[in-house]
Amino acid sequence: LSLSAPGFETTQVNGIRVELGQRARVDVRLKVGSVTENVTVSATAETLLNAESASVGQVINEAPIHELPLNGRNFLQLAQLATGATPVGTGVSPATSWTGRSNTTISISGLRESDTSYLLNGIETRNARFGNVGIRPSVDAIQEFRVQHSTFGAEFGRSAAVINTTLKSGSNDIHLVLFDLLRNRNLDANNYFANAAGLKRPPFSQNNFGTTLTGPVWLPKIYNGHNRTFFMFNYEGLRQRQGITSTALYPSAAQLKGNLADDSAGTGLFPTNSAFCQANPTSLKCVDIIDPTTGRAFPGNVIPSDRLDPTTQKVIPYIPSPNVATASGTPKFPTFNTAGAPKVLNDWDQYNVRIDHQISSKDLIFGTFSRSDETLFRPSLHFLGGDNFPLADRLWTFTYNRIFTPTIINEFRFGYNDSRTFRLSEGSYGKDYAKDVLGLKNTSSNPIDFGIPAFSIAGFGGIGSLSEAIGAEDENFQFSDNLNISLGKHTIQTGFQISHQRYYQVTDFSGNPSFTFDGRFSGDPGIGLADFLLGNPYQAGGAFGDSTQHLVTTYWGGYVQDDWRIHPTLTVNLGLRYEFAASPREINNRSLYFSPDLGQVVTAENGV
């Protein structure tokens, strides 16, 4: 920054750093002197004031991004350093439950996680379905990011908190970063339950690797490209295999054939008049299994083979066999008799590219492309009981900055974001077990719902696949323009945002049939094995049809803001913003509800 005036020394201030989202002011005193004299000042934290805005936030710049240890290299971990920011645990919110990840969202100032807007180069990447961030750029590709909340300028909208991130640009020098982080189980302790089950340490391997290259683009002189065009390329990959010690209680082979008094797996149910029960009258194992058709107990707690339900018998091949020895006749149910270490699979590949070009001293353009593909598979101890959580994102951004005069600057942005987030069964797109194996009728014919029907037997581990398929693809076309004008004591900013969104979602609840057994029909509440063998569920669920929807909507926002410097020590921020978010419209008229007033179903076509 160079300042000069007749009769004063020319003063130059070096090392000014304007952080992301900051309206900075540098106060400089000119000394009386000859116009031929020059004074050079180095900027300090005290030199650069943030007195122009009442915005509350915190900037995380390159130093902590590069120097703080991050297990997982996720920049949202650093966002937790900001005041009022806290992580959201898995299972307590839609985003963490349906994406299978606890590192894609953050709660700020006690707000819902979906109330946080995630901007990358000024373009919104927040997923419309679950509210999670789309692109989580590699920390090596980030220049800096800012967490803003509570109060901020009128240029931001659609949320109560903003995490504003920018990708780094190239420079005149070539910079290359290579890294490879390898972890395995060699120095890990064994899990307590794995030790109890006689299992070895669960397998674990993690390889996190990548590169970042920045520098200039030397174009032929005819294009005047030298020292005007710069690039940044970043790639990061993750390969993780982690065995999770899983334990559960499952019936013995004899019990699945009807002999519920068998105790070879430590789960037997003895008749109340048996010798065991006479010696242990308070034992939970002393139960008479009742025949629901007669109201009398099955002799010896053995269900005849001709009474076993043919449908549930077809499920038995998909029930795990106990593999942990238990003491026969134990007076209470064991914690588990089956153990294993199925592997969680987590693969991630991400690319970030940025090209900057200085057209002239007044015109700057830059564009970026980011691509992320994540595969997360969480297995289960039982066959086809795992969950798949595919997550993918494509982001294009373009920015054009134009300096019309020293007091008038315009910024135009365009962005296209394509985000895909799903939770699927391990059996999705596989075999139709409900129809082809179990012979069930009126089940879903959508391959996304396929899997083994879920059988929940009270007192025992799970059987079957996830009963639902849920997710969405979100396409977002965004345009924005911001004009800054400096008029003496007034700094005026005005602009608009337009976001056209296409949203393709599927919500197939109970697409894979489910059955629940709790023992109420066989006289043993809390233990559902006899009801299962007899084919008497107390609850069943299923659905068929097609729940997919193609929704479109357009968001409009406009604002004007005046930062009025009334006095050198007093600045007033005045802003007005107007937003209109139209209700989504289903293009195939598949949004509907029943109107009691009209006595008919109302669809999107006729006025939903």
Side-chain angles (χ1 to χ4, degrees), residues 213-347:
L213 177 64
T214 61
V217 177
W218 288 281
L219 298 175
K221 290 186 177 181
I222 188 173
Y223 296 109
N224 199 20
H226 186 59
N227 290 335
R228 289 179 179 268
T229 307
F230 310 93
F231 75 92
M232 184 278 294
F233 171 79
N234 165 261
Y235 166 75
E236 182 168 349
L238 174 71
R239 303 292 183 270
Q240 186 184 76
R241 304 292 183 269
Q242 183 175 10
I244 303 297
T245 300
S246 300
T247 60
L249 185 69
Y250 284 104
S252 67
Q255 287 173 326
L256 292 175
K257 293 180 180 179
N259 183 7
L260 299 183
D262 175 71
D263 198 37
S264 61
T267 63
L269 301 176
F270 297 97
T272 55
N273 61 357
S274 65
F276 172 83
C277 291
Q278 290 177 358
N280 302 278
T282 61
S283 173
L284 296 177
K285 288 192 172 188
C286 296
V287 177
D288 287 326
I289 302 300
I290 305 300
D291 184 347
T293 62
T294 64
R296 294 191 297 270
F298 285 107
N301 280 351
V302 177
I303 300 175
S305 59
D306 60 349
R307 295 294 308 280
L308 300 178
D309 183 75
T311 299
T312 58
Q313 287 295 294
K314 296 177 182 178
V315 182
I316 290 178
Y318 308 112
I319 300 178
S321 299
N323 58 8
V324 177
T326 57
S328 178
T330 304
K332 64 178 181 178
F333 294 107
T335 304
F336 63 90
N337 61 10
T338 309
K343 289 184 181 180
V344 174
L345 182 151
N346 189 8
D347 288 348

Side-chain angles (χ1 to χ4, degrees), residues 18-59:
V18 182
E19 295 180 330
L20 182 65
Q22 181 185 17
R23 295 176 184 169
R25 187 179 86 220
V26 179
D27 291 333
V28 182
R29 291 187 177 184
L30 297 181
K31 296 182 179 180
V32 177
S34 169
V35 295
T36 60
E37 296 182 273
N38 293 278
V39 176
T40 301
V41 179
S42 296
T44 63
E46 291 75 19
T47 306
L48 194 60
L49 303 177
N50 192 28
E52 301 301 303
S53 173
S55 174
V56 176
Q58 182 173 347
V59 172

